Amino acid sequence: MSFTFNEKNLKKCDAILKCYPNKQAALLPVLWLAQKQQGYLPLDAQEYVAQLLDLSPVHVYGVTTFYTMFKTKPVGKYHLQLCRTLSCALVGMENIGHHLKEKYQLEHDSVSKDGRFSLELVECLGSCGSGPALMVNDSLVEHLTIEKLDKLMEKLKKD
Amino acid sequence: MKKVLTNRFLIENSHTLKVYREHGGYQSIDKLFATKPADIIEEVKRSGLRGRGGAGFPAGMKWSFIPKGGDKPVYLCVNADESEPGTFKDRYLLEKDPHQLIEGIIICAYGVGCHHAYIYIRGEFDLAYRRIQEAVDEAYAQGVIGETVLGKEYKLDITVHRGAGAYICGEETALLESLEGKRGNPRIKPPFPAIVGLFNSPTVINNVETLSALPFIMNKGAEAYRQWGTDKSPGTKLFCVSGHVNKPGVYELPLGYPLKDLIEKECGGVAGTGRLKAVVTGGSSVPVLTAEEAYSARLDYEALMEKGTMLGSGGVIVMDDSVDMLWALRNLAYFYAHESCGQCTPCREGSGWTYKILDRIYREGGSEKDLDLLLEIADNMVGRTICVLADALAMPVKSYITKFREDFVKNL
Ligand SMILES: Cc1cc2nc3c(=O)[nH]c(=O)nc-3n(C[C@H](O)[C@H](O)[C@H](O)COP(=O)(O)O)c2cc1C
Ligand code: SF4
Ligand code: FES
């Protein structure tokens, strides 16, 4: 089945277009909307957005592959982004990365077999003073410890 | 101390329009519209306010480059991309006092004749994004912005625009490309954004913290702002302290404040082993200081320049003496290699090879020649590229290897 915006998102799309003097400038917000609807950005969604904004599919593809938060492949129901940069590394991020691998078989850019979890090691999340920092989908978890992580994973496994 | 930027941080619901108004918010608007735009720019020049995004360029001077009376619209882009490792101040300004930023945007917009401002916010921000979007919505709903500004005949639109994960989009011309719906590749300058910026129009780009200082300057005047700081670095600055201190966090301090006092008095001293080894003062892109250098440093643009480093974004990363500087530099090299947009060969290849060589030395060892090679690569990265991301890696490489050579030699 090919991708189209639902009614609600078509309306949102119109509102977005009003904020910019040309259609191309609406590309990032419209891609965000498509990703929210579909969970990721398969090629047909990218082509749909291209058509909607009068852009070439290759332009859109160039953009989706430039930005790390646009996903061209599916991620887990819970997408974990663990910050790997210096300030978090200074306060124990490496142990947490190790634990995710040993206990949950989650490595950078991997999705668990049941599709529930995926992990990405990412760069500085702007929470350096309260690291180690982890994003679980859209929410930030700060001062992460192994105990805190285990509790969180237990909870998410049951959801 | 009464401060400029963080006065309302501890008040409950400080992010709402109601509380902002109860605590002096939007009071500068009457005075603003009773003053000529050119005089606003003069006042900001007199305050000596400098850009807080990293480069420290005088804000009033930047605004004065915008051509007067042209037929193209003027745009303001608020840089809320905050991605420099060690930096997390704009996030707090957005979360705790978004209306202060909006008032700052109104002041700047009126000064330069802008009627549409874009806030470019990094895609990973969650609460900060929701707070600024809610504040903008509330400001529209209550007539603070929109067809008029609080009833004054001045149309002003503000659009919050989310990035999608790319450090380079904090560089001002990459930010413009990204806002135009393209890959975030920095542009060759000149032309400068003040002449050819967003949508080919004159554009001002300012950091969140820079703009957030404007309501104070409008209300109290340039002289009041100058009661803090030094002659050339006036005012206060947010310092974000991370790494090995007992109380990491964001601190608003007068410029010129001793780094030693920041670490020991404000942040409760060095954590971990309790013994200081190194400090980065302005986000990961600036040269590192040894403990000895750090203890005699003052936190302003000129004093840090004299120490061979920079104030940058105010991201202070503290490292105790258990830290292996080879490990630390390898971590940063990976960051820059990952974030290089790839347009310039010295940056793309230089950052990639720098990481690979450091990683090899870290895991398998190497020879003195590898250290010379790293320094040579760094030399070839400086000043040869479209933007300064290449320099932002070269500077740490040179300073880590020359100041902490024994940490590298031990692995050879
Ligand atoms: C690689 C790179 C990344 C940058 N990232 C940011 C950033 O995240 N936030 C920011 O305000 N400025 C950033 N800057 C600085 C901007 O280019 C620009 O100087 C600044 O936004 C201007 O605002 P100001 O004068 O108010 O500081 C970056 C610069 C470079 C070269
Ligand atoms: S220096 Fe690096 S990040 Fe900057 S434009 Fe060149 S390749 Fe891109
Ligand atoms: S280094 Fe991890 S959030 Fe900044």
Side-chain angles (χ1 to χ4, degrees):
Chain A
M1 209 182 73
S2 66
F3 178 93
T4 49
F5 270 141
N6 59 32
E7 208 50 38
K8 199 173 115 219
N9 282 342
L10 270 178
K11 281 214 187 89
K12 278 195 184 166
C13 197
D14 282 339
I16 289 172
L17 281 166
K18 290 204 180 77
C19 298
Y20 303 90
N22 64 46
K23 285 186 177 178
Q24 178 177 291
L27 181 55
L28 263 63
V30 172
L31 283 172
W32 270 119
L33 205 59
Q35 179 156 299
K36 193 137 195 123
Q37 180 176 314
Q38 189 70 23
Y40 72 112
L41 292 167
L43 271 182
D44 63 342
Q46 298 185 50
E47 280 163 13
Y48 174 81
V49 168
Q51 206 171 24
L52 202 68
L53 300 180
D54 295 331
L55 298 168
S56 68
V58 71
H59 177 87
V60 174
Y61 189 69
V63 166
T64 51
T65 51
F66 184 86
Y67 298 92
T68 54
M69 295 183 82
F70 288 139
K71 299 295 171 202
T72 53
K73 287 181 297 192
V75 293
K77 180 176 175 196
Y78 297 104
H79 183 55
L80 311 180
Q81 302 182 67
L82 179 66
C83 172
R84 60 153 296 281
T85 317
L86 187 57
S87 297
C88 286
L90 285 170
V91 293
M93 164 274 155
E94 286 180 338
N95 289 339
I96 290 176
H98 194 68
H99 188 69
L100 279 165
K101 186 171 166 186
E102 293 300 309
K103 183 156 182 193
Y104 303 99
Q105 287 78 52
L106 284 170
E107 281 184 88
H108 175 55
D109 253 346
S110 71
V111 186
S112 64
K113 282 201 192 79
D114 59 2
R116 186 171 282 263
F117 295 106
S118 51
L119 176 67
E120 192 180 350
L121 297 183
V122 295
E123 301 304 332
C124 180
L125 287 168
S127 307
C128 328
S130 41
L134 174 79
M135 304 251 340
V136 182
N137 293 342
D138 292 338
S139 324
L140 181 68
V141 182
E142 298 174 283
H143 300 292
L144 190 64
T145 57
I146 289 188
E147 297 75 55
K148 214 165 162 179
L149 177 66
D150 282 339
K151 269 200 197 135
L152 179 80
M153 293 297 281
E154 278 314 309
K155 192 172 137 251
L156 298 182
K157 268 184 190 166
K158 289 190 195 120
D159 265 19
Chain B
M1 182 180 103
K2 191 99 178 108
K3 291 174 181 167
V4 176
L5 298 158
T6 56
N7 286 322
R8 281 171 295 268
F9 272 28
L10 296 176
I11 301 171
E12 204 179 339
N13 292 324
S14 59
H15 60 281
T16 60
L17 182 52
K18 181 166 168 284
V19 173
Y20 185 61
R21 278 212 161 124
E22 282 165 8
H23 292 86
Y26 293 116
Q27 270 177 11
S28 72
I29 303 299
D30 282 336
K31 189 170 162 194
L32 178 73
F33 284 93
T35 313
K36 285 202 211 85
D39 294 337
I40 300 293
I41 297 183
E42 281 312 308
E43 187 71 7
V44 174
K45 274 190 189 165
R46 264 196 300 278
S47 76
L49 174 67
R50 296 170 65 167
R52 304 294 194 225
F57 195 82
M61 180 137 47
K62 185 185 277 190
W63 300 1
S64 67
F65 296 151
I66 296 290
K68 314 264 165 330
D71 49 4
K72 285 188 173 161
V74 173
Y75 290 106
L76 166 62
C77 292
V78 182
N79 195 337
D81 193 53
E82 189 162 72
S83 320
E84 171 82 4
T87 314
F88 46 99
K89 63 192 177 67
D90 298 340
R91 179 184 148 205
Y92 284 96
L93 289 168
L94 294 161
E95 287 179 1
K96 296 198 186 292
D97 211 343
H99 282 286
Q100 176 172 255
L101 173 62
I102 294 175
E103 188 168 351
I105 291 173
I106 295 171
I107 296 166
C108 174
Y110 175 76
V112 300
C114 154
H115 296 279
H116 199 151
Y118 290 91
I119 302 174
Y120 188 99
I121 182 167
R122 66 176 298 183
E124 293 87 346
F125 276 165
D126 174 33
L127 183 62
Y129 169 66
R130 285 184 278 130
R131 287 269 166 88
I132 188 66
Q133 184 65 63
E134 280 164 21
V136 167
D137 292 346
E138 222 186 347
Y140 268 112
Q142 308 264 331
V144 176
I145 54 171
E147 288 306 314
T148 68
V149 170
L150 285 167
K152 313 285 180 205
E153 227 173 276
Y154 194 89
K155 185 172 155 59
L156 179 62
D157 284 309
I158 300 181
T159 302
V160 182
H161 186 98
R162 268 182 93 196
Y167 166 66
I168 193 58
C169 291
E171 194 281 334
E172 55 186 18
T173 59
L175 183 151
L176 299 177
E177 289 286 297
S178 181
L179 244 170
E180 291 179 1
K182 298 183 233 165
R183 293 165 72 94
N185 290 338
R187 297 176 183 172
I188 294 173
K189 292 188 265 190
F192 288 94
I195 313 298
V196 184
L198 187 65
F199 309 124
N200 285 319
S201 297
T203 302
V204 170
I205 300 141
N206 271 136
N207 172 259
V208 168
E209 186 187 346
T210 315
L211 294 166
S212 295
L214 295 172
F216 179 95
I217 294 170
M218 262 322 285
N219 283 323
K220 305 276 163 63
E223 280 315 308
Y225 188 69
R226 284 185 164 276
Q227 69 183 283
W228 295 290
T230 68
D231 187 41
K232 286 191 177 141
S233 297
T236 65
K237 167 94 191 77
L238 298 185
F239 293 97
C240 328
V241 190
S242 65
H244 297 141
V245 289
N246 288 314
K247 288 189 286 172
V250 176
Y251 296 87
E252 178 174 7
L253 295 165
L255 284 162
Y257 196 79
L259 176 53
K260 186 167 197 243
D261 290 351
L262 172 61
I263 295 172
E264 291 186 348
K265 291 194 185 140
E266 308 289 332
C267 299
V270 179
T273 66
R275 290 179 304 269
L276 187 66
K277 178 162 188 173
V279 183
V280 168
T281 52
S284 66
S285 304
V286 309
V288 67
L289 295 180
T290 62
E292 199 189 332
E293 289 168 332
Y295 278 143
S296 60
R298 287 185 172 270
L299 295 164
D300 62 67
Y301 297 97
E302 289 70 31
L304 288 174
M305 196 75 94
E306 272 169 35
K307 292 264 176 207
T309 187
M310 288 184 286
L311 184 73
S313 61
V316 177
I317 307 175
V318 177
M319 296 181 245
D320 75 11
D321 68 356
S322 72
V323 176
D324 173 3
M325 299 304 276
L326 166 60
W327 168 87
L329 184 62
R330 169 176 165 270
N331 180 293
L332 289 180
Y334 185 89
F335 172 82
Y336 291 97
H338 183 262
E339 300 300 334
S340 164
C341 83
Q343 288 189 100
C344 320
T345 312
C347 173
R348 182 187 64 242
E349 299 298 317
S351 61
W353 281 107
T354 298
Y355 171 70
K356 281 183 204 159
I357 296 168
L358 286 165
D359 186 51
R360 178 167 50 75
I361 301 176
Y362 181 71
R363 289 186 300 110
E364 301 162 15
S367 69
E368 288 274 345
K369 274 196 184 139
D370 290 318
L371 300 185
D372 296 339
L373 181 60
L374 283 167
L375 293 172
E376 195 187 317
I377 293 173
D379 275 334
N380 283 310
M381 288 171 76
V382 173
R384 291 177 193 209
T385 51
I386 295 175
C387 85
V388 295
L389 184 137
D391 305 57
L393 172 58
M395 288 191 287
V397 168
K398 288 193 198 182
S399 58
Y400 283 61
I401 296 181
T402 46
K403 292 185 186 177
F404 299 96
R405 199 174 172 92
E406 61 286 359
D407 282 17
F408 293 81
V409 170
K410 75 169 184 349
N411 272 50
L412 300 179

